[in-house]
Amino acid sequence: MGSSVTVVRLALLSVLLHLSLAAAQTPGAAFAPSPQPRSVIELQPQRHYERLSIGEGGGTLATVTLTDLNPTVGAWYLLTVQPSGAAPESFHLERPMSSAIEGQSRVTLRADGSSLELVDGVGRCPLWSQGPNALRRARASGLPYAPLCDGRWYLRNVVPGTYTPLERVTQFLRDHVWQGDRIVNFVREQAFRDAFAEHGTAVTEGTAPPPMEAPMPGEVRAADATVAIEPEHLALDLGAHLPALLPGQWYPVRGAPGIFASVTRPQSLPEALLQQDRQTINPLDRIESAALDYLVAMDLRQFELHFEVGTDEPGVAWSERVPEPRRTPALAGPDGFDTIAPLARTGMVSPALTGRVAATFAGGFKRTHGAFLYGPLALKNAGSHYGFMQQGVILSRLQPGLATVYRTLEGTLGMKTWQLQDDAVLLDKLVDARQNGLALVDFDAARGLSVPGPMVAQWAAGNWSGSSEKQLRTLRAGLCLQMASAMQGYLIFGYFSTATPSAMARVFQSYHCRYAMQLDINALEHTYFALYTRAGGELLVQHLIEGMEVVDRKGGADLAPRFIGFPDDRDFFYLVRRLP
């Protein structure tokens, strides 16, 4: 795949730099949201302040404010030092969840003359004194996570993210070339469509997976159930004895307990499933029907899902999809601000969790595409920008009607369509959350089965992205939740080599998903998925698809994995193994 992907990218870059298109403007209805906070700090409903002065000889040297952004979670804090007659300095502090759990008590400030320290149930952490001090040394280090007090705390520093060559060119066009976004969309429609399509090779014999506790298999029609597939570009290690896989079956990934892989094709799904709810879903064409789809399931008893924003995306400013008449001119963004400063984006996993990370995968749409231009959601809530939160801190409001994946304080993973009442009954129980469009699959309790989302067949109102000619077939990634029993759940990542939302929905239905949502689309770096195993003290990386390794960094024989080894501009999810 590597050579073909390179050819596609080179062609894309060439066309992007030499092409221009005329654009049409679509007028929108006026929208006037209610007054909003003017900073991300003001957006936090549970924030708690503590203020004191530090000084020497009876004089005040500085006023210090500690803001606990969410006392229920106890992970993110903002320390602001206001020296007498000088500009304030702000420091974004992170307390690893292990320390927060061990400490249990609220963090407090303590001053002794000109010195300042944080105190919690674990102990004291000196931060500030006249002249060189721990905080200033940590900031000067330039590290994304600068350790304080032997790693019991970290200072999060603002750092630049890493962009792929494709992202650099497309961002340049969007920022500096008239109608640049139209150019990017045109080339994406022409060059990316089916560029990653795979079909696999059917063989007469395949190896059945060994008996084990595994996710529920995907439904397959009888004629294809015994016809195995040799995946063209699967890079996960399933063992040399497995040259071909039976469609719908799950196979354990070697060296990664609790993680399984599967392949299927929409044309292999039972006819009864393909005929179900036909009025709410588009029929599948022959190309996406024959395309190979890869799935990875992760046992939620063993793993916990976390979310991290990138150094740049998703942003918090207005999406370009929201016309000026639907914006409030006095507000820099839909939530009242266009930056999360003074909070710091790091774009990588905290060192406190690196040793437990089992998998990472790319997140959702960038902010520019993360809102609605058409349909009922375009006329609600200032365009219904996709919301997200991290470590209990709301960075962009969760909007009703949108597909949402989240983690609670108890470590439970959930997926649902966010409702207005969830702001009152669920929001204060969340640690992480990410919205990305609408439901691909939802659960019909009355019928006891999964069904296509209500807007899967609607390109514009569903904001599925793809061609303006409604040609939605492209490389896509998605996420679903399968409940094998009331106590046993699996998170399933899907890589669809070329598919429309309808094909994604049918495949997720076949794997008995109670809920499913789309992630990002169009390129390997946007659908990236990697597993991490350990042997002899070394971290080993397994990518889902050949070619995904191009966005990792290599230095001689060493590899720095994306999202773990260096800051990335895009948001991502990661799974950590649960502690005993």
Side-chain angles (χ1 to χ4, degrees):
M1 169 176 276
S3 60
S4 62
V5 172
T6 301
V7 170
V8 170
R9 285 181 172 153
L10 290 176
L12 173 65
L13 298 180
S14 175
V15 176
L16 283 173
L17 292 173
H18 294 89
L19 198 63
S20 63
L21 292 175
Q25 293 184 345
T26 303
F31 182 84
S34 58
Q36 304 282 4
R38 299 306 177 107
S39 75
V40 69
I41 307 303
E42 294 178 12
L43 185 61
Q44 310 313 313
Q46 299 186 63
R47 66 189 186 277
H48 175 272
Y49 298 99
E50 183 178 357
R51 183 174 290 113
L52 52 74
S53 297
I54 55 177
E56 234 173 25
T60 298
L61 293 176
T63 299
V64 182
T65 303
L66 179 69
T67 305
D68 185 340
L69 295 169
N70 187 334
T72 303
V73 175
W76 276 12
Y77 298 79
L78 183 69
L79 184 73
T80 303
V81 180
Q82 174 69 69
S84 300
E89 292 183 77
S90 292
F91 303 88
H92 181 182
L93 301 173
E94 178 169 310
R95 182 168 60 155
M97 291 301 291
S98 57
S99 296
I101 293 170
E102 291 167 6
Q104 295 297 321
S105 61
R106 183 169 59 88
V107 177
T108 59
L109 284 173
R110 180 175 296 175
D112 181 10
S114 61
S115 299
L116 178 72
E117 61 186 13
L118 293 176
V119 181
D120 64 8
V122 179
R124 299 181 178 184
C125 182
L127 294 179
W128 188 272
S129 60
Q130 278 194 291
N133 58 57
L135 274 180
R136 284 179 171 150
R137 287 194 299 269
R139 173 148 295 170
S141 74
L143 295 172
Y145 293 88
L148 298 164
C149 300
D150 299 320
R152 283 184 21 235
W153 288 83
Y154 289 97
L155 172 67
R156 293 173 61 99
N157 283 314
V158 175
V159 291
T162 300
Y163 289 78
T164 65
L166 175 62
E167 288 178 319
R168 287 184 181 277
V169 173
T170 55
Q171 194 61 47
F172 170 80
L173 285 169
R174 289 188 171 113
D175 291 345
H176 301 290
V177 177
W178 182 74
Q179 301 299 341
D181 197 56
R182 290 276 181 168
I183 298 172
V184 171
N185 290 339
F186 175 80
V187 175
R188 182 176 61 204
E189 293 160 15
Q190 301 302 317
F192 275 160
R193 189 183 184 198
D194 302 329
F196 300 93
E198 298 183 32
H199 302 93
T201 302
V203 296
T204 56
E205 294 184 2
T207 304
M212 60 183 175
E213 185 175 14
M216 290 184 286
E219 296 181 41
V220 178
R221 64 184 182 181
D224 289 343
T226 58
V227 180
I229 302 170
E230 290 184 351
E232 296 176 42
H233 299 293
L234 180 66
L236 297 179
D237 183 4
L238 304 184
H241 62 289
L242 288 174
L245 312 180
L246 294 172
Q249 296 296 322
W250 291 104
Y251 296 82
V253 178
R254 190 156 63 175
I259 300 179
F260 308 85
S262 181
V263 298
T264 195
R265 289 181 291 207
Q267 69 184 20
S268 297
L269 305 186
E271 188 62 25
L273 175 60
L274 295 174
Q275 295 300 318
Q276 178 196 317
D277 298 301
R278 291 181 60 186
Q279 71 280 5
T280 64
I281 197 166
N282 290 325
L284 309 187
D285 64 34
R286 62 179 182 82
I287 296 178
E288 63 180 334
S289 292
L292 194 60
D293 300 322
Y294 297 81
L295 298 100
V296 181
M298 294 147 281
D299 186 345
L300 291 175
R301 292 173 303 180
Q302 301 185 44
F303 303 103
E304 187 175 85
L305 184 71
H306 292 241
F307 172 72
E308 182 84 31
V309 295
T311 58
D312 297 274
E313 296 292 348
V316 293
W318 291 103
S319 166
E320 297 172 6
R321 294 192 173 181
V322 179
E324 290 292 340
R326 296 183 194 165
R327 305 184 188 186
T328 301
L331 300 180
D335 293 301
F337 45 86
D338 59 3
T339 175
I340 69 166
L343 302 184
R345 297 169 171 263
T346 62
M348 64 182 295
V349 175
S350 166
L353 292 175
T354 301
R356 292 167 50 202
V357 171
T360 61
F361 53 93
F365 284 5
K366 300 168 68 172
R367 174 49 67 104
T368 189
H369 301 129
F372 291 80
L373 176 58
Y374 305 107
L377 287 169
L379 305 177
K380 298 178 181 178
N381 302 312
S384 300
H385 291 72
Y386 301 174
F388 48 97
M389 62 187 297
Q390 182 180 337
Q391 296 284 36
V393 177
I394 303 167
L395 303 177
S396 184
R397 282 192 181 96
L398 302 183
Q399 298 295 341
L402 301 189
T404 309
V405 56
Y406 60 86
R407 174 171 63 101
T408 68
L409 286 162
E410 291 76 24
T412 302
L413 180 142
M415 296 182 71
K416 72 186 305 288
T417 297
W418 195 257
Q419 305 296 329
L420 187 60
Q421 60 266 29
D422 289 328
D423 286 348
V425 301
L426 183 58
L427 186 62
D428 63 356
K429 299 179 177 65
L430 302 188
V431 178
D432 296 324
R434 176 63 152 107
Q435 297 184 314
N436 202 63
L438 304 176
L440 284 165
V441 164
D442 207 341
F443 188 74
D444 185 337
R447 298 159 66 188
L449 49 77
S450 61
V451 296
M455 292 191 185
V456 168
Q458 302 179 43
W459 166 73
N463 200 35
W464 297 111
S465 194
S467 168
S468 58
E469 303 301 321
K470 301 185 181 180
Q471 302 296 332
L472 281 75
R473 200 175 64 239
T474 188
L475 171 63
R476 296 178 184 270
L479 202 59
C480 92
L481 178 61
Q482 182 199 92
M483 296 303 298
S485 69
M487 301 298 293
Q488 175 58 62
Y490 291 90
L491 180 67
I492 298 178
F493 175 91
Y495 172 95
F496 300 80
S497 64
T498 188
T500 64
S502 294
M504 297 177 73
R506 287 305 194 199
V507 168
F508 279 138
Q509 281 185 276
S510 76
Y511 281 87
H512 311 284
C513 294
R514 293 181 67 94
Y515 196 93
M517 61 189 284
Q518 182 174 251
L519 294 176
D520 211 347
I521 67 174
N522 286 333
L524 284 178
E525 55 261 52
H526 301 158
T527 55
Y528 179 94
F529 183 100
L531 296 180
Y532 309 100
T533 58
R534 290 159 178 84
E538 293 186 357
L539 182 70
L540 307 178
V541 185
Q542 297 186 45
H543 297 90
L544 174 58
I545 302 295
E546 293 175 352
M548 286 183 173
E549 71 278 359
V550 299
V551 293
D552 294 340
R553 283 183 173 177
K554 293 183 178 179
D558 296 326
L559 179 73
R562 185 184 190 188
F563 304 135
I564 291 182
F566 54 91
D568 199 274
D569 66 296
R570 302 296 295 270
D571 65 297
F572 63 96
F573 295 92
Y574 60 103
L575 276 87
V576 298
R577 289 200 174 271
R578 294 182 183 274
L579 296 172

